């Protein structure tokens, strides 16, 4: 399995690199479903046993080992005081983004696959949900909510993941060459929405605005609808970005 230090990304072994390169070549040439473990091993010049010493399945060749990054996210969050939660969450989310940026073309090849293979897309979503859960549990320390009644923490954690995905998709599609700057702007928007007191908007008079909403509706009944709304907003953003990308791919139309 990948090795690495607690503060840096894991480093693949030469065998893992060969297997991964062979797998993505075959996926591009003949499709994901038609590619077998045996064909990947043969292309890489190793045996089937060697493949399974490096990866548990064909799917594991595609996805990075999130264990290291998840540990670093937890470490960054745990090192912060409750009052520093907005900054800590921003920096932790940046760790996830940089993992993908560090992969370069491999991340883009994976993106092409996950867009067309539902099972792979589901697995990627499951990984992102792990990060969202870590963010939610940490944000709950800041909001003072109890488990099961942590609507504000859930909403902020969801917004962090949506912002991260928005920037990541733009980079994967070649729509930005400065994803770090766009990430900063996206997270600033999240904090303006969920933590306005840390953005500087309320510091001129030294005060903060607190809005309290009362409703007889159980938050557990509201949360699924809010999640659907966030998912719909993310889908609309993805469609808009796709349209923008298609427009750029077509190039400018010269006057006749």
């Amino acid at each position: 399995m990948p090795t690495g230090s607690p503060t840096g990304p894991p480093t693949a072994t030469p065998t893992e690199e060969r297997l991964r390169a062979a797998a993505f070549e075959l996926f591009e040439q003949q499709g994901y479903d038609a590619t077998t473990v045996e064909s990947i091993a043969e292309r890489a010049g190793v045996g089937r046993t060697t493949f399974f010493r490096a990866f548990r399945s064909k799917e594991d060749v595609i996805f990075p080992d999130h264990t290291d990054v998840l540990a670093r996210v937890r470490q960054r969050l745990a090192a912060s005081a409750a009052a520093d939660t907005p900054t800590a969450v921003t920096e932790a989310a940046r760790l996830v983004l940089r993992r993908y940026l560090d992969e370069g073309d491999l991340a883009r090849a994976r993106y092409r696959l996950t867009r067309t293979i539902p099972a792979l897309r589901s697995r990627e979503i499951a990984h992102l949900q792990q990060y969202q859960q870590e963010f939610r549990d940490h944000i709950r320390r800041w909001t003072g909510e109890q488990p099961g009644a942590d609507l504000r923490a859930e909403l902020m954690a969801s917004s962090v993941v949506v912002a991260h995905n928005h920037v990541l998709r733009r980079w994967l599609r070649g729509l930005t060459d400065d994803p770090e700057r766009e990430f900063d702007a996206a997270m600033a928007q999240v904090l303006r929405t969920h933590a306005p007191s840390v953005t500087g908007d309320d510091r001129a008079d030294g005060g903060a605005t607190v809005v309290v909403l009362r409703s007889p509706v159980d938050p557990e009944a509201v949360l699924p609808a809010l999640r659907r709304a966030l998912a719909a907003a993310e889908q609309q953003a993805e469609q808009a970005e796709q349209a923008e990308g298609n427009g750029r791919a077509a190039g400018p139309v010269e006057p006749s």
Side-chain angles (χ1 to χ4, degrees):
M1 297 304 293
T3 60
S5 69
T7 58
T11 302
T13 66
T15 298
E16 288 170 346
E17 291 178 349
R18 290 206 313 275
L19 285 165
R20 184 166 278 125
F24 277 93
E25 286 175 3
L26 290 170
F27 294 152
E28 294 280 354
Q29 293 171 5
Q30 61 188 32
Y32 175 77
D33 291 333
T35 300
T36 64
V37 166
E38 288 75 15
S39 62
I40 295 172
E42 181 179 358
R43 175 67 65 93
V46 300
R48 189 172 183 273
T49 301
T50 300
F51 176 95
F52 284 112
R53 278 201 293 262
F55 300 103
R56 291 174 298 180
S57 66
K58 182 172 71 172
E59 291 78 9
D60 283 342
V61 178
I62 299 170
F63 293 99
D65 183 3
H66 285 264
T67 304
D68 177 80
V69 182
L70 195 60
R72 293 167 63 204
V73 165
R74 288 171 178 159
Q75 184 180 42
R76 177 61 187 90
L77 295 176
S80 68
D84 296 329
T85 291
T87 299
V89 169
T90 298
E91 293 181 359
R94 190 189 304 277
L95 291 173
V96 184
L97 177 67
R98 284 177 175 170
R99 172 58 186 270
Y100 288 97
L101 299 182
D102 288 345
E103 289 183 314
D105 289 340
L106 178 61
R108 294 186 176 95
R110 183 189 305 113
Y111 177 64
R112 290 192 293 271
L113 276 176
T114 56
R115 291 183 67 192
T116 57
I117 309 295
L120 299 181
R121 176 60 177 162
S122 296
R123 177 162 173 171
E124 187 171 57
I125 291 173
H127 287 153
L128 291 173
Q129 287 175 337
Q130 286 183 298
Y131 293 113
Q132 181 171 326
Q133 181 177 334
E134 294 293 331
F135 296 148
R136 182 202 64 200
D137 291 348
H138 185 76
I139 293 169
R140 193 166 57 215
R141 293 174 49 206
W142 179 60
T143 62
E145 296 168 300
Q146 296 299 315
D150 48 1
L151 179 57
R152 186 182 175 195
E154 186 80 59
L155 288 173
M156 184 171 173
S158 297
S159 296
V160 169
V161 172
V162 169
H164 168 278
N165 290 352
H166 172 82
V167 174
L168 178 60
R169 278 197 307 271
R170 284 180 51 77
W171 174 76
L172 290 169
R173 294 171 177 172
L175 301 179
T176 178
D177 57 3
D178 194 355
E180 295 260 11
R181 180 185 60 80
E182 292 200 7
F183 176 80
D184 288 336
M187 288 304 301
Q189 179 63 51
V190 171
L191 297 184
R192 281 194 295 271
T193 302
H194 297 283
S197 63
V198 302
T199 63
D201 298 338
D202 302 316
R203 292 177 182 172
D205 59 2
T209 301
V210 178
V211 179
V212 179
L213 300 178
R214 293 183 178 273
S215 172
V217 181
D218 185 348
E220 290 297 323
V222 176
L223 189 54
L226 290 171
R227 285 173 172 162
R228 288 194 295 272
L230 284 170
E234 184 177 359
Q235 183 177 15
Q236 290 175 355
E238 184 172 355
Q239 291 172 346
E241 290 165 13
Q242 181 67 59
E244 180 182 355
N246 290 340
R248 293 190 184 188
V253 179
E254 297 182 0
S256 57

